[in-house]
Amino acid sequence: MRHTEFWARMEQALGPAYATSWADLTVIGALGGRTVSEALDAGVAPKVVWAAVHEQLGLPARDR
């Protein structure tokens, strides 16, 4: 998954106005206690980050 696809999915799940804020503020245990933005900046693959976001938000399986 590319970063552009990751961010498109984030915007679809949370809305364009909220996706970036949520990514900057929400700490996810599955990402080592980092925010989405911190994990991506640290080089964690977007696919791995998306899996953690998907679980955190409880999104339907079709959105994996």
Side-chain angles (χ1 to χ4, degrees):
M1 172 185 295
R2 296 175 185 249
H3 285 262
T4 53
E5 182 182 351
F6 171 83
W7 286 109
R9 289 182 183 200
M10 287 288 289
E11 289 180 3
Q12 183 179 18
L14 297 167
Y18 188 51
T20 303
S21 295
W22 192 90
D24 289 343
L25 298 173
T26 304
V27 174
I28 300 177
L31 297 175
R34 295 181 279 200
T35 66
V36 167
S37 297
E38 290 169 340
L40 291 171
D41 289 345
V44 179
K47 184 175 182 177
V48 172
V49 177
W50 177 250
V53 169
H54 185 274
E55 184 175 327
Q56 180 80 15
L57 293 175
L59 297 173
R62 71 175 185 274
D63 293 337
R64 281 197 181 123

